[in-house]
Structure formats: structure tokens, C-alpha cells
Amino acid sequence: MKLKDQFRFVRQNMKKNRTRVFMTILATAMGCAFLIVLASVGFGLQKSVVKEITERRVITQIDVHGKESKDQGVYRPLNDKDVRIFEKIKDVKAVTRRKMLQQQSTYSIGNYQVGTQTFVANFPAEIKAGFELSEGRLPKEKNEVAVGYNFLLNLADKDAGDDLYDEKGQIKEAYLYKGELLGKEIELTIRQFKDGKQIEKTIPLKVVGISKKPTKEWAQDSSVFISDEMLTEIEKFTGTPKGYMLDANTKKVSDDLEVHKNAYDEVKIYAKNMEAVQSISDQLKEKNYATYSVVNELKEVNMVFMIAKAGLIFIGTIAILIASIGIYNTMTMAVTERAPDIGIMKAIGANPKTIKRIFLLESSYIGLIGALIGTIVSYGISYTVNFAIPLIIKQAFGQEMDLDLIFSDIPLVLPIICIVICYAVTIISGLRPAQRATKVDVLKAMRREV
């Protein structure tokens, strides 16, 4: 019997018992849909978390926190020698390094002021890493500065007091500085304790550049970038490295801060592409540098979700195993009902392997049709879930979600896994009835005495 004839024979027999076959296919489809939708929750949440991580950080960025010294577990700050080592590593695009003014600096223009962080940056390296200005130019002179995009959005009336913020914690529009900032003179106030008393110094600075608006709303940048010469002037006034502010009872800084006064507070390496991040991180690790990148975080996240997805797929497989009971029952009934047909096939010389193949084809048919229907249904459920749950949450709690969560995501690999599992289960379910069909006695089958 040709394979084409075997398929035709299977379809004819399925039509004879279409109600029973339909219910078996329905059970299989429900099992497959359950597996895919259940596992899709793991895939969806993983996609949401990964998206959140990659959007909040530059994916090619590697933070270097220090180098392990001879004393195990003790890390020293990074200096120019380390930066030169980083720049020689293959596929490194840029190495940014910043020194931070070691006190909360206050900037004011007229009656408006803002407290923010102050940095000394290497602008050629910053530009290579992607630093851009929305207005103006980079600082060239000692008293010139560039400010972050959100600096102006935080420059508020210092007399506003408790009325400064609204209910959402935002500065009220009425108290914000409304004038131009570019080209204006702002005053930096620095402080230090001397002889138990706090003294202040005001330094006039000119704003010559404003950084580009961050691509994400949460990524606010109110930093101020001063020159290295200005930092030196501040150090002369404070008498401490990087303008470190002593307390009322301390007369000098620690020896550790004095030793590392020329070290950088923030060093970031930017790889040429994402594929190079892991290689660069591995090389830095070999040199005993403490590093952190998105790749490290993604590894941990993906490992957790891999375990979760495996568990969800396992639970979903149980539903398919339950559906396999229906397939086994259907195939057992098929063998009993078709005993005369089996007897005729054996009487005219049909090979037992052919008879076995016919029943395995039928069970496979049921399983694959059920898997395909279940896959189609699961995509519909997934779309409905992603559309409906945010609306339900909004109606129930009266507010929209802060995170852009994907509750269900079905990658191509998931239906493939489901179809493979379903096919394997249906073959196993139909194997015993198929073997029984090959052992049917011809004479008894002709008398319907199986």
C-alpha cells in the first residue's frame, strides 16, 4: 500500500467517527493552547524586563569601579595609567573618565538656585561615547561650563519654601527660572569648615553649552561640567582634594583620599558593538578590574527566566499528557472497530509494519491538527491578554501602569516546542493501539471477535 493510499485510508476512517475524533482534537488543542499561553507569560515578562534594562542603560557601556590591589578584596580607584590600558584594548570605542566635586554644589542666577553634582570631564572621550549638545559649544576657558539638559528645569526660586513642589513632587511652574541660560553668568557656591566655622566662596561661571535632551524621560541630567583649572582653584580654597568638605570637628582629610587625589570617580568603557562587550569584560576581569555591564545583568535575568520558562513548559506539558489519554482511547476504539478491515489487509498480504504505520499516522494526524489549532488559539489569547489586562488594571486601580509590561509573548520557538512535544506524546499514545492492531488474528477479525 502506497503512502498516499495510507493517508486516504486514515482520512476516510476519521470521517466515520468525526464526533469522537473532533473531541479528541479539541482536547489536544486545549492542552497545546494551555502550554503555549502559560509559557508565553514567562517569555513576555522576560522581554519586558530585558527591555527595561537595555533602555535604562547604554548596552555597550561597561562600568569600571576599580582595580583589585595586592590585598585581596581591596580595590583602588582608577587613574590615567588605567585609562591608557583600557584604550589599548581591542574594540574599545571610548573611555570616559570623570572627577566629581566632593561636595553638594549650589548654582544660582539672581534669586534662582539649584543644588546638583559637578564634574570634570574629558570632552574628547565624552564626544566619542556619544555626548552631544542641544545648544552652544563645549567649554574652552577656565570659567566656562556646560550644563545638563534638566539643569534649567530644576533652577527654582530659593524663597519658595514648602510651596515649591506640587502633589506629584514636581517643581511648580510658577517658581521655575523663565529666562535664557545660554551665555548667562551663574554663580557656584562652595563651602568649607575652617576653625570650626563654615565659610563660603562664590565663583562666577559662564554657561556656554547645554547637553542634548535624554532620550528617556526618567534619565534626568542636571550635572554641571567644569574645567580642570576651575577644580584646582576650588581645591586651593577648600584645601582638600576635589573640594572635599570637612566637618566641623575634622581638620584634615584621610590619607587614602590624599593618596588618590588624582584618581577618577567615574570611569566608563564603551565598546564598538554589543558583541565586543563580553570580550572586553573578560579581559578586564583577567587584569583584576571590577566591572559591570548590561551583559552581566542580562545573564542573571535570562538564567532566572530560563528556569521559570522550563517550569511553565513542564506544567503545560501535563495538559498535553492528559489530552493523550483521549488519543489513546480513540485509537484503541479505532482498532476494535476496524478489526474486519485489519483482517482483510492481513489476508491480502499487508505487512504488519504498514498496519502499524496507518494507526500511527492517524494518531499523528489528530495530534498535529490539535497542535495547530491550539497554536492559532493561543496567539489570539495572547493578543487579548496584552490588550485587556492594562485596561482592567486601569479600571480596577484608577491609574495606568508605570512599566510597559508585556504579559504574553509567543516567539516562534514556543509553538515549535509545543508541536514537537505534542507529536511525541501522540506517537507514544498511538503506539500501543498500533502494536495491538498488528497482532489481530485474521479469522477472528473476519468474525468481529477481536
Coordinates of all heavy atoms in Angstrom, one line a residue, residues 169-246:
G169 N 5.2 65.9 43.5 CA 6.7 66.1 43.8 C 7.4 66.8 42.7 O 8.7 66.9 42.8
Q170 N 6.7 67.5 41.8 CA 7.4 68.3 40.7 C 7.4 69.7 41.1 O 6.6 70.2 41.9 CB 6.5 68.1 39.4 CG 6.4 66.7 38.9 CD 7.7 66.1 38.5 OE1 8.6 66.8 37.9 NE2 7.9 64.8 38.7
I171 N 8.5 70.4 40.7 CA 8.6 71.9 41.0 C 7.5 72.6 40.2 O 7.3 72.4 39.0 CB 10.0 72.4 40.5 CG1 11.1 71.7 41.3 CG2 10.0 73.9 40.7 CD1 12.5 72.1 40.9
K172 N 6.8 73.4 40.9 CA 5.7 74.2 40.3 C 6.2 75.2 39.2 O 7.3 75.8 39.4 CB 4.9 75.0 41.4 CG 4.2 74.1 42.3 CD 3.4 74.9 43.4 CE 2.7 74.1 44.4 NZ 2.0 74.9 45.4
E173 N 5.5 75.2 38.2 CA 5.9 76.1 37.0 C 6.2 77.5 37.4 O 7.1 78.2 36.9 CB 4.8 76.0 35.9 CG 5.2 76.6 34.6 CD 6.2 75.9 33.8 OE1 6.3 74.6 34.0 OE2 6.9 76.5 33.0
A174 N 5.4 78.0 38.3 CA 5.5 79.4 38.7 C 6.8 79.8 39.4 O 7.2 81.0 39.3 CB 4.3 79.8 39.7
Y175 N 7.5 78.8 39.9 CA 8.8 79.1 40.6 C 10.0 78.8 39.8 O 11.1 79.0 40.3 CB 8.8 78.2 41.9 CG 7.8 78.6 42.9 CD1 6.8 77.7 43.3 CD2 7.7 79.9 43.5 CE1 5.8 78.1 44.2 CE2 6.8 80.3 44.4 CZ 5.8 79.3 44.8 OH 4.8 79.7 45.7
L176 N 9.8 78.3 38.6 CA 11.0 78.0 37.7 C 11.5 79.2 37.0 O 10.8 80.2 36.8 CB 10.5 76.9 36.6 CG 10.3 75.5 37.1 CD1 9.8 74.7 36.0 CD2 11.6 74.9 37.6
Y177 N 12.8 79.1 36.8 CA 13.5 80.2 36.1 C 13.0 80.3 34.6 O 13.0 79.2 33.9 CB 15.0 80.0 36.1 CG 15.8 81.0 35.4 CD1 16.0 82.3 35.8 CD2 16.4 80.7 34.1 CE1 16.7 83.2 35.2 CE2 17.2 81.6 33.4 CZ 17.3 82.9 34.0 OH 18.1 83.8 33.3
K178 N 12.6 81.4 34.1 CA 12.0 81.5 32.8 C 12.9 82.1 31.8 O 12.6 82.1 30.6 CB 10.7 82.4 32.9 CG 9.6 81.9 33.8 CD 9.1 80.6 33.4 CE 7.8 80.2 34.1 NZ 7.9 80.3 35.6
G179 N 14.0 82.7 32.2 CA 14.9 83.4 31.3 C 15.8 82.4 30.5 O 15.8 81.2 30.6
E180 N 16.7 83.0 29.6 CA 17.6 82.3 28.9 C 18.8 81.8 29.8 O 19.1 82.6 30.7 CB 18.2 83.1 27.7 CG 17.2 83.3 26.6 CD 16.9 82.1 25.8 OE1 17.8 81.2 25.7 OE2 15.7 81.9 25.3
L181 N 19.4 80.7 29.5 CA 20.5 80.3 30.3 C 21.8 80.3 29.5 O 22.9 80.7 30.1 CB 20.3 78.8 30.8 CG 21.3 78.2 31.7 CD1 21.3 79.0 33.0 CD2 21.0 76.8 32.0
L182 N 21.8 80.0 28.2 CA 23.0 80.0 27.4 C 23.6 81.4 27.3 O 22.9 82.4 27.0 CB 22.7 79.5 26.0 CG 23.8 79.1 25.1 CD1 24.6 77.9 25.7 CD2 23.4 78.8 23.7
G183 N 24.9 81.5 27.7 CA 25.6 82.8 27.6 C 25.4 83.6 28.9 O 26.1 84.6 29.1
K184 N 24.6 83.1 29.8 CA 24.4 83.8 31.1 C 25.5 83.4 32.1 O 26.1 82.4 32.1 CB 23.0 83.5 31.7 CG 21.9 83.9 30.8 CD 21.7 85.4 30.9 CE 20.5 85.9 30.1 NZ 20.3 87.4 30.1
E185 N 25.6 84.3 33.1 CA 26.6 84.1 34.2 C 25.8 83.4 35.4 O 24.8 83.9 35.8 CB 27.3 85.4 34.7 CG 28.3 85.1 35.7 CD 29.0 86.4 36.1 OE1 29.9 86.9 35.4 OE2 28.6 87.0 37.2
I186 N 26.4 82.3 35.9 CA 25.8 81.7 37.1 C 26.9 81.6 38.1 O 28.1 81.7 37.8 CB 25.3 80.2 36.8 CG1 26.4 79.4 36.3 CG2 24.1 80.3 35.8 CD1 26.0 77.9 36.1
E187 N 26.5 81.6 39.4 CA 27.4 81.6 40.5 C 27.5 80.2 41.2 O 26.4 79.7 41.5 CB 27.1 82.7 41.5 CG 27.2 84.1 40.9 CD 26.9 85.2 41.9 OE1 26.2 84.8 42.9 OE2 27.3 86.3 41.8
L188 N 28.7 79.7 41.4 CA 28.9 78.5 42.1 C 29.3 78.8 43.5 O 30.3 79.5 43.7 CB 30.0 77.6 41.4 CG 30.5 76.5 42.2 CD1 29.5 75.4 42.5 CD2 31.7 75.8 41.5
T189 N 28.5 78.2 44.5 CA 28.9 78.5 45.9 C 29.5 77.2 46.4 O 28.9 76.1 46.4 CB 27.6 78.8 46.7 OG1 27.0 80.0 46.2 CG2 28.0 79.1 48.2
I190 N 30.7 77.3 46.9 CA 31.4 76.2 47.6 C 31.7 76.5 49.0 O 31.7 77.7 49.4 CB 32.7 75.8 46.9 CG1 33.6 77.1 46.8 CG2 32.5 75.2 45.5 CD1 35.0 76.8 46.2
R191 N 31.8 75.5 49.8 CA 31.9 75.7 51.3 C 33.0 74.8 51.9 O 33.4 73.8 51.3 CB 30.5 75.2 52.0 CG 29.3 76.0 51.4 CD 28.0 75.4 51.9 NE 26.9 76.1 51.3 CZ 26.4 75.8 50.1 NH1 26.9 74.9 49.3 NH2 25.3 76.5 49.7
Q192 N 33.5 75.3 53.1 CA 34.5 74.5 53.8 C 34.4 75.0 55.3 O 34.0 76.1 55.6 CB 35.9 74.7 53.2 CG 36.9 73.9 53.8 CD 36.7 72.4 53.7 OE1 35.8 71.9 54.4 NE2 37.4 71.7 52.8
F193 N 34.8 74.0 56.1 CA 34.9 74.3 57.5 C 36.3 74.7 57.9 O 37.3 73.9 57.6 CB 34.5 73.1 58.4 CG 33.0 73.0 58.6 CD1 32.2 72.2 57.8 CD2 32.3 73.8 59.5 CE1 30.9 72.1 57.9 CE2 30.9 73.7 59.7 CZ 30.2 72.9 58.8
K194 N 36.5 75.9 58.5 CA 37.8 76.3 59.0 C 37.7 76.8 60.4 O 36.9 77.7 60.6 CB 38.5 77.3 58.0 CG 38.9 76.7 56.7 CD 39.6 77.7 55.8 CE 40.0 77.1 54.5 NZ 40.8 78.0 53.6
D195 N 38.5 76.3 61.2 CA 38.4 76.7 62.7 C 37.1 76.5 63.2 O 36.6 77.3 64.0 CB 38.9 78.2 62.8 CG 40.3 78.4 62.3 OD1 41.1 77.5 62.5 OD2 40.6 79.4 61.8
G196 N 36.4 75.4 62.8 CA 35.1 75.1 63.3 C 33.9 75.9 62.8 O 32.8 75.7 63.2
K197 N 34.2 76.8 61.8 CA 33.2 77.6 61.2 C 33.1 77.3 59.7 O 34.1 77.1 59.1 CB 33.5 79.1 61.5 CG 33.4 79.5 62.9 CD 33.7 81.0 63.1 CE 33.6 81.4 64.5 NZ 33.9 82.9 64.7
Q198 N 31.9 77.4 59.2 CA 31.7 77.2 57.8 C 31.9 78.5 57.0 O 31.2 79.5 57.4 CB 30.3 76.6 57.5 CG 30.0 76.4 56.0 CD 28.7 75.8 55.7 OE1 28.5 74.6 56.1 NE2 27.8 76.5 55.1
I199 N 32.7 78.5 56.0 CA 32.9 79.7 55.2 C 32.5 79.3 53.8 O 32.5 78.1 53.4 CB 34.4 80.1 55.2 CG1 35.3 79.0 54.8 CG2 34.8 80.6 56.6 CD1 36.8 79.4 54.6
E200 N 32.1 80.3 53.0 CA 31.7 80.1 51.7 C 32.4 81.0 50.7 O 33.0 82.0 51.1 CB 30.2 80.5 51.5 CG 29.3 79.5 52.3 CD 27.8 79.9 52.1 OE1 27.5 80.9 51.5 OE2 26.9 79.1 52.6
K201 N 32.5 80.5 49.4 CA 33.1 81.3 48.4 C 32.2 81.2 47.1 O 31.7 80.1 46.8 CB 34.5 80.8 48.0 CG 35.2 81.6 46.9 CD 36.6 81.0 46.6 CE 37.2 81.9 45.5 NZ 38.6 81.4 45.2
T202 N 32.0 82.3 46.5 CA 31.1 82.3 45.3 C 32.0 82.5 44.1 O 32.8 83.5 44.0 CB 30.1 83.4 45.4 OG1 29.3 83.2 46.5 CG2 29.2 83.4 44.1
I203 N 31.9 81.6 43.1 CA 32.7 81.7 41.9 C 31.8 82.0 40.7 O 30.9 81.2 40.4 CB 33.5 80.4 41.6 CG1 34.4 80.1 42.9 CG2 34.3 80.5 40.4 CD1 35.1 78.8 42.8
P204 N 32.0 83.0 39.9 CA 31.2 83.3 38.7 C 31.6 82.4 37.5 O 32.8 82.2 37.3 CB 31.5 84.8 38.4 CG 32.8 85.0 39.0 CD 33.0 84.1 40.2
L205 N 30.6 81.8 36.9 CA 30.9 80.9 35.7 C 30.0 81.3 34.6 O 28.9 81.8 34.8 CB 30.7 79.5 36.1 CG 31.5 78.9 37.3 CD1 31.0 77.6 37.7 CD2 33.0 78.8 36.8
K206 N 30.4 81.0 33.4 CA 29.6 81.3 32.2 C 29.1 80.0 31.5 O 29.9 79.2 31.2 CB 30.4 82.2 31.2 CG 29.6 82.6 30.0 CD 30.5 83.4 29.1 CE 29.7 83.9 27.8 NZ 30.5 84.7 26.9
V207 N 27.8 79.9 31.3 CA 27.2 78.8 30.6 C 27.4 78.9 29.1 O 26.9 79.8 28.5 CB 25.7 78.6 31.0 CG1 25.1 77.4 30.2 CG2 25.5 78.5 32.5
V208 N 28.2 78.0 28.5 CA 28.4 78.1 27.1 C 27.8 76.9 26.3 O 27.8 76.9 25.1 CB 29.9 78.1 26.8 CG1 30.5 79.4 27.4 CG2 30.6 76.9 27.3
G209 N 27.3 75.9 27.0 CA 26.7 74.7 26.4 C 25.7 74.0 27.2 O 25.8 74.0 28.4
I210 N 24.7 73.5 26.5 CA 23.6 72.7 27.2 C 23.5 71.4 26.5 O 23.4 71.3 25.3 CB 22.3 73.4 27.2 CG1 22.3 74.8 27.8 CG2 21.2 72.6 27.8 CD1 21.1 75.7 27.7
S211 N 23.6 70.3 27.3 CA 23.6 69.0 26.7 C 22.3 68.6 26.0 O 21.2 69.3 26.3 CB 23.9 67.9 27.8 OG 22.8 67.8 28.6
K212 N 22.3 67.6 25.2 CA 21.1 67.2 24.5 C 20.1 66.5 25.4 O 20.5 65.9 26.4 CB 21.5 66.2 23.4 CG 20.4 65.9 22.4 CD 21.0 65.0 21.3 CE 19.9 64.7 20.2 NZ 20.4 63.8 19.1
K213 N 18.8 66.7 25.1 CA 17.8 66.1 25.9 C 17.9 64.6 26.0 O 18.1 63.9 25.0 CB 16.4 66.5 25.4 CG 15.2 65.9 26.2 CD 13.9 66.3 25.6 CE 12.7 65.8 26.5 NZ 11.4 66.2 25.9
P214 N 17.9 64.0 27.2 CA 17.9 62.5 27.3 C 16.8 61.8 26.5 O 15.7 62.4 26.4 CB 17.8 62.2 28.8 CG 18.2 63.5 29.5 CD 17.8 64.6 28.5
T215 N 17.1 60.7 25.9 CA 16.1 60.0 25.1 C 15.0 59.5 25.9 O 13.9 59.2 25.4 CB 16.7 58.9 24.3 OG1 17.4 58.0 25.2 CG2 17.7 59.4 23.3
K216 N 15.2 59.2 27.2 CA 14.2 58.7 28.1 C 13.8 59.7 29.2 O 14.7 60.5 29.7 CB 14.7 57.4 28.8 CG 15.2 56.3 27.9 CD 14.0 55.8 27.0 CE 14.5 54.8 26.0 NZ 13.4 54.4 25.1
E217 N 12.6 59.8 29.5 CA 12.1 60.8 30.4 C 12.7 60.7 31.8 O 12.9 61.7 32.5 CB 10.5 60.8 30.5 CG 9.8 61.2 29.2 CD 8.3 61.2 29.4 OE1 7.9 61.0 30.5 OE2 7.6 61.4 28.4
W218 N 12.9 59.4 32.2 CA 13.4 59.2 33.6 C 14.9 59.6 33.7 O 15.4 59.8 34.8 CB 13.3 57.7 34.0 CG 13.7 56.8 32.9 CD1 13.0 56.1 32.0 CD2 15.1 56.4 32.7 NE1 13.8 55.3 31.2 CE2 15.1 55.5 31.6 CE3 16.3 56.7 33.3 CZ2 16.2 54.9 31.1 CZ3 17.5 56.1 32.7 CH2 17.4 55.2 31.7
A219 N 15.6 59.7 32.6 CA 17.1 59.9 32.6 C 17.3 61.4 32.7 O 17.7 62.0 31.7 CB 17.7 59.3 31.3
Q220 N 17.1 62.0 33.8 CA 17.3 63.4 34.0 C 18.8 63.7 34.2 O 19.5 63.0 34.9 CB 16.5 63.9 35.2 CG 15.0 63.9 35.0 CD 14.3 65.0 35.7 OE1 14.9 65.8 36.4 NE2 13.0 65.0 35.5
D221 N 19.3 64.8 33.6 CA 20.7 65.2 33.7 C 20.7 66.7 34.1 O 20.5 67.6 33.3 CB 21.4 65.0 32.4 CG 22.9 65.3 32.5 OD1 23.4 65.5 33.6 OD2 23.5 65.4 31.4
S222 N 21.1 66.9 35.4 CA 21.2 68.3 35.8 C 22.7 68.6 36.2 O 23.0 69.6 36.8 CB 20.4 68.5 37.1 OG 19.0 68.3 36.8
S223 N 23.6 67.8 35.7 CA 25.0 67.9 36.0 C 25.6 69.2 35.4 O 25.1 69.7 34.5 CB 25.8 66.7 35.5 OG 25.3 65.5 36.0
V224 N 26.7 69.6 36.1 CA 27.5 70.8 35.6 C 28.9 70.3 35.3 O 29.5 69.6 36.2 CB 27.5 72.0 36.5 CG1 28.4 73.1 36.0 CG2 26.0 72.4 36.8
F225 N 29.5 70.7 34.1 CA 30.8 70.2 33.8 C 31.7 71.5 33.8 O 31.6 72.4 33.1 CB 30.8 69.6 32.4 CG 30.0 68.4 32.3 CD1 28.7 68.4 31.9 CD2 30.5 67.1 32.7 CE1 27.9 67.3 31.8 CE2 29.8 66.0 32.6 CZ 28.5 66.1 32.2
I226 N 32.7 71.4 34.7 CA 33.7 72.5 34.9 C 35.0 72.1 34.4 O 35.3 70.9 34.1 CB 33.8 72.9 36.4 CG1 34.3 71.8 37.2 CG2 32.5 73.4 36.9 CD1 34.7 72.1 38.7
S227 N 35.9 73.0 34.2 CA 37.3 72.7 33.7 C 38.2 72.2 34.8 O 37.9 72.4 36.0 CB 37.9 74.0 33.1 OG 38.1 75.0 34.1
D228 N 39.3 71.6 34.4 CA 40.2 71.1 35.4 C 40.9 72.2 36.2 O 41.2 72.1 37.4 CB 41.3 70.3 34.7 CG 41.7 69.0 35.4 OD1 41.5 69.0 36.6 OD2 42.2 68.1 34.7
E229 N 41.1 73.4 35.5 CA 41.7 74.5 36.1 C 40.7 75.1 37.2 O 41.2 75.5 38.3 CB 41.9 75.6 35.1 CG 43.0 75.3 34.1 CD 42.5 74.5 32.9 OE1 41.3 74.1 32.9 OE2 43.2 74.3 31.9
M230 N 39.4 75.0 37.0 CA 38.5 75.5 38.0 C 38.5 74.6 39.2 O 38.4 75.1 40.3 CB 37.1 75.6 37.4 CG 36.0 76.1 38.3 SD 36.4 77.7 39.0 CE 36.5 78.8 37.6
L231 N 38.6 73.3 38.9 CA 38.7 72.4 40.1 C 39.9 72.7 40.9 O 39.9 72.6 42.2 CB 38.8 70.9 39.6 CG 38.9 69.8 40.7 CD1 37.6 69.9 41.6 CD2 39.0 68.5 40.0
T232 N 41.0 73.0 40.3 CA 42.3 73.4 41.0 C 42.0 74.6 41.9 O 42.5 74.7 43.0 CB 43.4 73.6 40.0 OG1 43.6 72.5 39.2 CG2 44.7 74.0 40.7
E233 N 41.3 75.6 41.3 CA 41.0 76.8 42.1 C 40.1 76.5 43.3 O 40.3 77.0 44.4 CB 40.3 77.8 41.2 CG 40.0 79.1 41.9 CD 39.3 80.1 41.0 OE1 39.8 80.2 39.9 OE2 38.4 80.9 41.5
I234 N 39.2 75.6 43.1 CA 38.3 75.2 44.2 C 39.1 74.4 45.3 O 38.9 74.7 46.5 CB 37.2 74.2 43.7 CG1 36.2 75.0 42.8 CG2 36.4 73.6 44.9 CD1 35.2 74.2 42.1
E235 N 40.1 73.6 44.9 CA 40.9 72.9 45.8 C 41.8 73.8 46.7 O 42.1 73.6 47.8 CB 41.8 71.9 45.1 CG 41.0 70.7 44.5 CD 41.9 69.8 43.7 OE1 42.9 70.2 43.1 OE2 41.5 68.6 43.6
K236 N 42.2 74.9 46.0 CA 43.0 75.9 46.8 C 42.2 76.5 47.9 O 42.7 76.8 49.0 CB 43.5 77.0 45.8 CG 44.6 76.5 44.9 CD 45.1 77.7 44.0 CE 46.2 77.2 43.0 NZ 46.6 78.3 42.1
F237 N 40.9 76.8 47.6 CA 40.0 77.3 48.7 C 39.7 76.3 49.8 O 39.8 76.7 51.0 CB 38.7 77.8 48.0 CG 37.7 78.2 49.0 CD1 37.8 79.4 49.7 CD2 36.6 77.4 49.3 CE1 36.8 79.8 50.7 CE2 35.7 77.7 50.2 CZ 35.8 78.9 50.9
T238 N 39.4 75.1 49.4 CA 38.9 74.1 50.4 C 40.1 73.5 51.1 O 40.0 73.0 52.2 CB 38.1 73.0 49.7 OG1 38.9 72.3 48.7 CG2 36.9 73.5 49.1
G239 N 41.3 73.5 50.4 CA 42.5 72.9 51.0 C 42.4 71.3 51.0 O 43.2 70.7 51.7
T240 N 41.5 70.8 50.2 CA 41.3 69.3 50.2 C 41.2 68.9 48.7 O 40.8 69.6 47.8 CB 40.0 68.9 50.9 OG1 38.9 69.7 50.3 CG2 40.1 69.2 52.4
P241 N 41.6 67.6 48.4 CA 41.4 67.1 47.1 C 40.0 67.1 46.6 O 39.1 66.7 47.4 CB 41.9 65.6 47.2 CG 42.8 65.6 48.4 CD 42.1 66.6 49.4
K242 N 39.8 67.6 45.4 CA 38.4 67.6 44.7 C 37.4 68.3 45.5 O 36.2 68.1 45.5 CB 37.9 66.1 44.5 CG 38.9 65.3 43.6 CD 38.4 63.9 43.5 CE 39.4 63.0 42.8 NZ 39.0 61.6 42.7
G243 N 37.9 69.3 46.3 CA 37.0 70.2 47.1 C 36.2 69.4 48.2 O 35.1 69.9 48.6
Y244 N 36.8 68.4 48.7 CA 36.2 67.6 49.8 C 35.8 68.5 51.0 O 36.7 69.3 51.4 CB 37.1 66.5 50.2 CG 36.5 65.6 51.3 CD1 35.7 64.5 51.0 CD2 36.9 65.8 52.6 CE1 35.2 63.7 52.0 CE2 36.3 65.0 53.6 CZ 35.5 64.0 53.3 OH 34.9 63.1 54.3
M245 N 34.6 68.4 51.5 CA 34.2 69.3 52.6 C 34.3 68.6 53.9 O 33.8 67.5 54.1 CB 32.7 69.6 52.3 CG 32.2 70.7 53.3 SD 30.5 71.2 52.9 CE 30.2 72.3 54.3
L246 N 35.2 69.2 54.7 CA 35.4 68.6 56.1 C 34.2 68.9 57.0 O 33.3 69.8 56.6 CB 36.6 69.3 56.7 CG 37.9 69.1 55.9 CD1 39.0 70.0 56.5 CD2 38.4 67.7 55.9

